[in-house]
Amino acid sequence: MPEGSPKTPAKSAAKRPSTAKAGLADEVRKALDADIDRLETGSQMWSHLTLSQRATLMERLASSVGAVAEEWADTAAISKELEPGHPLRGEEWLSGPYGTLTALEAYGSTLRALAAGTSPLNAVKIDTATGGRTRAHVFPLSRVDSLLLSGYTGEIWFAPGVTQRDARESAGLAQLTPSDSGGVGLVLGAGNITSIPVLDVIYELLAHNRVALLKVNPTQDSLVPVFERALAPLIEPGFLKIIRGDGAVGAYLTTHPRISHVHITGAATTFDAIVWGPSKGARSAATTKRRRENKPKLTKPITAELGGVSPIIVVPGEWSDADLKFQAEHITTMRLQNSGHNCIAGQVVIVSADWAQREDFLVALRRAYDAAPRRSAWYPRSNEKLETAGSTYPNADWCAGGTRALIEIGADDDASALETTEYFAPVLGVVTLTGNGQEFLDAAVAHANDNLIGTLGANVIVDPRTLDALGDSFERSMADLRYGTIAINAWTALGFLTPTLSWGGFPGASLENVESGIGIVHNALLLDRVERSIVRGPFRPFPRSVGAVLRPGTFSVLPKPPWFVTSRTGASVSEGLTRFRIDRNWGGLAKTLTKAFGA
């Protein structure tokens, strides 16, 4: 996840209070203290709102977000150096206003169910997954979702020991005790995906009854005016305050006695610096001592989403040429969406040396990776990461005019740097194991668990015939895969964008070993003791999926998805889907879906 901050434009810097070398200027501290004063008042006001009033607030937020959706997407695209007309501008519609609107709708439904005295899970199918885990089928829950994401499903697996009754009765989290105040929380926003800070704020409010002081990452400074209008229904009553600032502002707030909780989306190094102190420089000795004595510098609770190195496990099978092309574009999307600046960008493709089509697949992958639309690596320090990859792997294949690296690990190569460095840049690696069928899958799962850093998301691609042949053993392998979100014939970004699924690292991280973070977000059904989310998608798009109409879980009416970086109509379709979420204009949706078939 984000590890750097961009240089602040001189014009923006001139508007901000100056900071002293040793810390913050008095006027800056006083302003921040005043913000916390107002939020404490807002916290009390929040505790007096009924569940029905909170549901109405979600509707007001949806209206205000819809009103600025175009400006939001346009401002985000410009900040990421996507000029007007660029084919990838649709990414900013989907990962910004679209993701926010679907979440607000889902939270509103949860609040209305709780207000009526029922569990948010009452209308949800619940059964048993591998290992006796309770499983809730939380997507799709509406005909609209079934239409817009035809063929895709989503499940939440609860931690071992959670019964169906437990799951239903605990659904609602803090909204089961709405008058209990969670105080004021600090949200340190992500710098890469524009909906992340917004969704984190809403989860703080609903999962924990905690009002929020949101410090945006400097990469999103230009979006602050948009956020302030979009989130005005939260800002006006004192449920939210948005601020800009550098590291000194963040340091002051994380240790502020009236901040009850910290949530960060970022890098593990940033998390460790907040919790333990700096790892380099004059104060590093004190940090080492704190770690040795297990005495964190931060004494208040903290949750975090920190990314990692995501695997893409390609299970050997018999694929057509069209399958090879489609899945190569699928994997290319997993790496290159947002120019690779994603916490769940697929980074390591795991293939079998014994797969008869291995070479054909790698040829298709290189072709798709090279041909995807070009764009800049806009995130701070990305060029450094690319240079590091190039020096570590001098035999890397540089595609698209040298702007992106494809690294195939040979028999004599060391894969450790590729598997333990989250490049957060357009760097894609290929690691080869042996075996076919279950033997390969077992080896790939163990390799991902043991060799790749992080536990946020894993992707698995498997054709329907092979999936049938593996049977129940495939599900056991998914249970063994220690990741917070697993996408089968899909990309884990679908888990991020689906509000009724949870988002976060696999349970078990700690302050000492934070891995991909602590806690979860999104989770719009407000479910307790979640272990993981599972997304399942169609192996083939329409019309090639028609032959699988009688095979559950494989048929889809969707052509190439609009989030594919190779989609010719992705920008217009993504905008159209967002506008439908705003106005529910079915005529407009019909036109959008017609465009989708031109992808």
Side-chain angles (χ1 to χ4, degrees), residues 37-73:
D37 288 340
R38 176 160 169 73
L39 287 168
E40 287 182 327
T41 301
S43 179
Q44 295 304 311
M45 184 179 298
W46 174 259
S47 67
H48 292 294
L49 291 185
T50 66
L51 293 172
S52 294
Q53 288 171 327
R54 296 176 188 191
T56 300
L57 180 59
M58 295 300 108
E59 295 173 0
R60 287 187 57 206
L61 279 168
S63 295
S64 57
V65 167
V68 301
E70 183 172 357
E71 183 182 0
W72 181 336

Side-chain angles (χ1 to χ4, degrees), residues 93-103 148-149 497 574 577-578 581:
W93 282 94
L94 288 182
S95 64
Y98 181 90
T100 303
L101 288 164
T102 56
L148 299 187
L149 285 172
L497 275 179
S574 298
L577 294 176
T578 307
R581 290 289 184 179

Side-chain angles (χ1 to χ4, degrees), residues 353-598:
D354 300 317
W355 185 21
Q357 294 180 285
R358 176 183 178 278
E359 293 306 320
D360 292 338
F361 166 74
L362 292 180
V363 168
L365 178 60
R366 192 209 180 280
R367 185 179 295 125
Y369 195 66
D370 183 66
R374 297 188 187 185
R375 62 178 300 182
S376 64
W378 61 269
Y379 202 82
R381 297 182 58 205
S382 294
N383 288 332
E384 295 177 29
K385 296 297 184 68
L386 286 168
E387 291 172 4
T388 298
S391 68
T392 305
Y393 298 103
N395 294 326
D397 190 359
W398 289 90
C399 303
T403 60
R404 56 190 72 144
L406 181 60
I407 301 167
E408 184 178 348
I409 300 297
D412 298 325
D413 295 330
D414 182 359
S416 59
L418 177 69
E419 296 177 334
T420 60
T421 304
E422 185 188 7
Y423 285 109
F424 213 70
V427 176
L428 179 66
V430 178
V431 171
T432 302
L433 306 179
T434 59
N436 274 305
Q438 192 63 43
E439 178 189 9
F440 168 79
L441 186 56
D442 288 344
V445 167
H447 190 90
N449 284 341
D450 299 338
N451 292 66
L452 276 60
I453 63 164
T455 63
L456 187 61
N459 311 276
V460 182
I461 298 177
V462 54
D463 68 273
R465 184 178 297 176
T466 301
L467 188 60
D468 285 348
L470 293 172
D472 291 342
S473 62
F474 179 84
E475 292 299 308
R476 288 194 293 271
S477 294
M478 296 304 97
D480 290 339
L481 199 50
R482 297 192 299 269
Y483 287 83
T485 296
I486 298 171
I488 303 165
N489 292 331
W491 177 27
T492 47
L494 267 293
F496 172 89
L497 275 179
T498 303
T500 48
L501 292 171
S502 59
W503 186 249
F506 193 74
S510 63
L511 296 182
E512 296 79 14
N513 181 21
V514 71
E515 298 186 284
S516 286
I518 298 171
I520 60 172
V521 289
H522 303 185
N523 184 29
L525 294 172
L526 301 178
L527 306 179
D528 196 17
R529 296 183 63 192
V530 169
E531 181 185 62
R532 73 183 84 197
S533 291
I534 306 281
V535 179
R536 302 176 195 264
F539 179 74
R540 300 180 176 97
F542 184 88
R544 292 191 301 114
S545 63
V546 170
V549 67
L550 299 179
R551 186 193 298 265
T554 60
F555 174 70
S556 175
V557 298
L558 284 182
K560 182 186 297 182
W563 57 85
F564 269 41
V565 293
T566 52
S567 172
R568 293 190 299 269
T569 60
S572 58
V573 171
S574 298
E575 177 181 349
L577 294 176
T578 307
R579 292 193 183 281
F580 174 74
R581 290 289 184 179
I582 297 168
D583 58 24
R584 283 298 195 271
N585 183 321
W586 288 92
L589 177 62
K591 293 179 181 178
T592 295
L593 295 179
T594 299
K595 291 179 182 178
F597 282 88

Side-chain angles (χ1 to χ4, degrees), residues 59-127:
E59 295 173 0
R60 287 187 57 206
L61 279 168
S63 295
S64 57
V65 167
V68 301
E70 183 172 357
E71 183 182 0
W72 181 336
D74 188 57
T75 302
I78 291 171
S79 74
K80 297 180 180 183
E81 303 174 9
L82 293 174
E83 68 275 5
H86 195 286
L88 297 181
R89 274 192 157 219
E91 293 179 359
E92 299 311 312
W93 282 94
L94 288 182
S95 64
Y98 181 90
T100 303
L101 288 164
T102 56
L104 291 169
E105 182 178 344
Y107 282 121
S109 296
T110 292
L111 289 166
R112 284 189 290 274
L114 292 168
T118 63
S119 169
L121 282 177
N122 271 9
V124 175
K125 177 185 175 182
I126 301 180
D127 59 12

Side-chain angles (χ1 to χ4, degrees), residues 261-298:
H261 180 274
V262 176
H263 178 78
I264 176 176
T265 301
T269 51
T270 305
F271 176 93
D272 287 342
I274 292 171
V275 173
W276 301 102
S279 59
K280 298 179 181 179
R283 291 179 290 170
S284 61
T287 299
T288 300
K289 183 174 184 291
R290 278 191 291 269
R291 278 188 172 275
R292 184 174 60 249
E293 297 176 352
N294 194 24
K295 295 180 178 179
K297 176 183 176 183
L298 186 74

